[in-house]
Amino acid sequence: MIKGIAITTVWVLDQDRAKEFYTEKLGLEVRTDMTMGGDKGMRWLTVGAKDQPDVELTLMVPGGPAMDPESAEAVRRLVAKGALGAGVLATDDVRRDYETFKARGVEFLQEPQERPYGTEAIFRDDSGNWFSLTERRAEMDFGKEWGECVGPQ
């Protein structure tokens, strides 16, 4: 029986840059940073929120054994173009985090705005992926009004 999501992939253009962005700018912690398959193998780099040890983001460069070169290039172009939304990052104070992240150089596409489900700001990572940074309303079931959520304006 599936119990939940443990690891999800965020496609990045450079793992070293992404590691710095996710740890130094967003404050996530490195969970795993290793090379599988020898010196020229695949780098497995994961990060996660300190208070959520059972969920990780894999910061993965497109390619490798699971993706042919043409597909990898297509994914790289989409990431660099800013066409991919990587998900929602939850916070208990979106305005505080917006100011903190902005001061650290994070590019925001949208300042915090009130939505039916809570307060949301949208930012891009260093590769071009966009994320919703959301402070959910306490009385709201996150999924019920999700159809009203839109991507970058």
Side-chain angles (χ1 to χ4, degrees):
M1 191 81 172
I2 295 174
K3 295 183 179 184
I5 293 176
I7 301 173
T8 190
T9 299
V10 176
W11 297 111
V12 299
L13 303 178
D14 180 290
Q15 285 178 303
D16 289 326
R17 258 191 14 235
K19 180 180 178 181
E20 182 179 325
F21 179 88
Y22 283 85
T23 59
E24 293 180 19
K25 294 189 178 188
L26 299 185
L28 300 179
E29 62 183 18
V30 173
R31 300 282 174 74
T32 307
D33 190 353
M34 61 185 265
T35 302
M36 299 188 321
D39 291 341
K40 297 193 188 260
M42 179 185 79
R43 183 177 179 189
W44 184 253
L45 173 61
T46 69
V47 296
K50 175 183 62 154
D51 295 332
Q52 194 177 25
D54 56 338
V55 177
E56 298 176 64
L57 301 177
T58 301
L59 306 178
M60 186 70 66
V61 174
M67 193 179 293
D68 63 82
E70 182 181 329
S71 297
E73 181 55 32
V75 171
R76 279 192 291 275
R77 282 194 310 270
L78 288 170
V79 169
K81 185 177 181 180
L84 300 180
V88 178
L89 299 178
T91 178
D92 61 352
D93 189 336
V94 72
R95 294 181 193 291
R96 174 201 64 213
D97 290 348
Y98 168 80
E99 293 299 333
T100 299
F101 296 164
K102 193 171 175 184
R104 292 177 184 167
V106 174
E107 174 193 2
F108 277 85
L109 304 173
Q110 173 192 293
E111 295 180 357
Q113 293 185 8
E114 296 303 317
R115 302 280 188 219
Y117 46 82
T119 307
E120 173 187 56
I122 297 177
F123 71 89
R124 283 201 180 148
D125 71 7
D126 67 308
S127 291
N129 298 297
W130 61 268
F131 286 86
S132 167
L133 179 64
T134 300
E135 178 184 344
R136 183 172 74 175
R137 283 204 182 117
E139 73 279 2
M140 192 73 167
D141 178 355
F142 208 39
K144 286 187 179 177
E145 299 292 332
W146 199 247
E148 296 188 34
C149 178
V150 295
Q153 311 287 313

